[in-house]
Amino acid sequence: MYEKIIENIKSNLSENNELNKQYLSSQIEVYKDHPQSTEIIKEISQLIWECMSEDEKNEFIEISENETPIVDILNDIYYDIDEGNYETPLKKLDEFMATFNPMFEDDDLIEYHFFTNLLEELVFRNYIGLKKELKYIPNSQPLLDLYYIYGFLLLETGQYPKAEKYLKKAVKINPVSSRIILELAEIHKIHTNNFDEYFKLTCDALRYAYSPQDIARCYRNLGYYYIEKNQTKTAQALFQYSMEYDLSPLAYREIKNIPSKNEAQDLTASRCMELIESEKIQTEANPFILSMLDELTNEYMENKLYRQTLYYLEIKYNLNPDEKTLLEIKSIRNKINY
């Protein structure tokens, strides 16, 4: 069965090896939970290797010779984390990190980053930018996930200074990852009581977010902030507006528990928008992200790279559902399954 998947992936490759590598890396993420993921990822990895320059191959070999078992430790703890058991994974990571040698540390000439996709890199370049030469941390060394998961587990168990240390390491690798920035914001909410920093980090996360769940969480965070400022109407508007992106029970619960909620009830959608905009808070997905999604889908479509096109079209549709995008998605799916 997986042979057909590999043939489909190969059919979307172009003459541009840089685009091919980005596409192939995204396919590893797509098929990581497939029943035959081991075989599929092995084949994709070989295709990535064939797209590398000789310098890249030599660098990869050098890295592999000094490999640390990051993938193994992460695979070993994912199940327990998914089951809500944080104690065992944290103990394993504590032991692992005690002997872990730092790698891909920035120096005077190079900064190391990892981006989940090209959209994140475009957002990074637009809002933050490079100060040195960029080098990518390879998929085989998922430092971003290691630092993020360790920081998350430390946060969940109340080890706030240590959690902040590792979440900051993760943010340094990917400064536009909303999910990591939001975890870092939590520390300022529940530990330092620095609500100004909590607000700033949440606004950063909102600027970079491209998933409805992350955007909704940003609005809920801002709702908590305005409760602290005793602006209950604005708080309720934010919680209500968050449900435009994610119908989370957390938002319903917070609306119910807002102090003096009788003063803030029965807000219309337009009134919610007015209250949020009056605070100069972004009220939709970042227009820059939406424009980059258009550029990426157009570029990949012109090159007949249908799976990449579909990947970014689905992100676009999740942010801004409309009939035109839905028809484009159906058309691309038909091409892929042809």
Side-chain angles (χ1 to χ4, degrees), residues 185-306:
E186 282 298 301
I187 294 174
H188 294 288
K189 174 188 172 188
I190 63 181
H191 176 59
T192 67
N193 292 320
N194 185 344
F195 280 89
D196 288 339
E197 185 65 14
Y198 175 72
F199 178 82
K200 176 187 176 300
L201 287 169
T202 298
C203 289
D204 286 344
L206 182 58
R207 183 183 306 115
Y208 308 142
Y210 59 89
S211 82
Q213 294 76 20
D214 283 349
I215 292 174
R217 185 178 173 187
C218 289
Y219 287 126
R220 294 197 300 270
N221 272 18
L222 293 171
Y224 301 139
Y225 173 79
Y226 280 95
I227 286 175
E228 288 296 315
K229 292 187 70 175
N230 201 32
Q231 293 181 224
T232 55
K233 282 189 178 182
T234 302
Q236 178 162 343
L238 286 156
F239 286 124
Q240 282 187 208
Y241 192 66
S242 76
M243 291 188 283
E244 295 288 326
Y245 290 92
D246 183 23
L247 290 173
S248 169
L250 292 171
Y252 287 105
R253 190 183 312 144
E254 291 303 326
I255 291 171
K256 185 177 179 181
N257 293 331
I258 287 177
S260 307
K261 60 180 180 295
N262 289 335
E263 297 176 9
Q265 64 187 358
D266 298 328
L267 293 179
T268 64
S270 60
R271 180 59 178 149
C272 286
M273 291 283 284
E274 287 174 9
L275 287 165
I276 295 169
E277 288 174 346
S278 70
E279 297 294 325
K280 296 182 171 53
I281 293 170
Q282 175 184 318
T283 53
E284 59 178 8
N286 186 338
F288 175 78
I289 287 177
L290 294 174
S291 69
M292 288 302 99
L293 286 170
D294 285 336
E295 287 192 19
L296 289 167
T297 53
N298 290 337
E299 179 180 351
Y300 285 127
M301 191 65 186
E302 286 174 7
N303 286 281
K304 297 183 179 179
L305 300 171
Y306 298 127

Side-chain angles (χ1 to χ4, degrees), residues 153-196:
L153 292 172
L154 291 164
L155 173 58
E156 289 296 309
T157 53
Q159 300 180 58
Y160 302 116
K162 197 172 180 181
E164 183 176 13
K165 172 185 174 182
Y166 283 97
L167 289 171
K168 281 184 174 180
K169 282 178 173 285
V171 166
K172 188 175 182 181
I173 290 172
N174 187 343
V176 298
S177 172
S178 292
R179 62 171 182 156
I180 300 172
I181 295 170
L182 288 168
E183 292 301 326
L184 196 56
E186 282 298 301
I187 294 174
H188 294 288
K189 174 188 172 188
I190 63 181
H191 176 59
T192 67
N193 292 320
N194 185 344
F195 280 89
D196 288 339

